[in-house]
Amino acid sequence: MRKNFTRGFTLIELLVVIAIIGILASIVLVSLTSARAKGRDARRVTELQEMAKAIALSDTDPSPSLAGCTTASSKANTCTGPGAISFASYADPSVGIAGTVCAAGSTATCQYAIGTAASVSAAGPTTANYEICSYLESGAGTLISGMIRTSSASGGAVVQGCI
């Protein structure tokens, strides 16, 4: 009687393979994190453009005000415009509707802010005088990380900085 023994993997070989898989998994997770940040930034830019288009479509003479936006920086989701405009569904993808409102000089993700493009008036922003600000984590397209805005002055284009 002769027994056949098959040679299996040693414990060291198994540990080496598990370590290699762990290293590869961590590299993939790091690249996914930056891809997610870029995706959130792309969404921010798109949503700013959508809000600017909605405001431009409802602009009449005289320029109606954006209801609910009575301060220099109001949360976008609390503002409504003339007609059927509602920004209730617009929330920053990182902080949601509960996040702090963006202000000039913000250094982290924040809730979309609507204010007046020039000086703050008692009536707040109108369809002809508004600015919507946000914050990019890693940049999108030609925009780098930091504060971004769209305004009546920029014609709805998203540009760097927030006044």
Side-chain angles (χ1 to χ4, degrees), residues 21 25 28 48 82 87 105 114 137 143 159:
I21 291 172
V28 168
L48 288 182
F87 299 127
I114 297 181
E137 297 173 68
L143 300 169
V159 295

Side-chain angles (χ1 to χ4, degrees), residues 2-91:
R2 190 176 153 183
K3 289 186 177 183
N4 287 336
F5 288 102
T6 57
R7 185 172 178 338
F9 295 108
T10 66
L11 181 61
I12 297 294
E13 291 170 330
L14 289 175
L15 290 174
V16 167
V17 169
I18 290 171
I20 291 172
I21 291 172
I23 291 169
L24 292 175
S26 66
I27 291 171
V28 168
L29 286 176
V30 167
S31 66
L32 282 178
T33 302
S34 68
R36 286 183 182 149
K38 288 183 181 190
R40 287 189 300 269
D41 284 348
R43 179 177 166 192
R44 288 179 183 102
V45 170
T46 300
E47 287 183 345
L48 288 182
Q49 291 170 337
E50 287 174 5
M51 287 188 275
K53 286 177 186 174
I55 291 171
L57 287 173
S58 64
D59 189 21
T60 59
D61 195 21
S63 300
S65 66
L66 300 174
C69 301
T70 56
T71 62
S73 293
S74 298
K75 287 186 178 182
N77 63 341
T78 63
C79 299
T80 57
I85 294 178
S86 173
F87 299 127
S89 62
Y90 290 102

Side-chain angles (χ1 to χ4, degrees), residues 82-108:
I85 294 178
S86 173
F87 299 127
S89 62
Y90 290 102
D92 186 85
S94 294
V95 298
I97 61 171
T100 60
V101 68
C102 286
S106 291
T107 58

Side-chain angles (χ1 to χ4, degrees), residues 116-118 127-132 149-157 159 163:
T116 53
T127 56
N129 184 22
Y130 70 90
E131 177 180 75
I132 309 171
R149 76 175 186 276
T150 186
S151 65
S152 51
S154 70
V159 295
I163 303 171

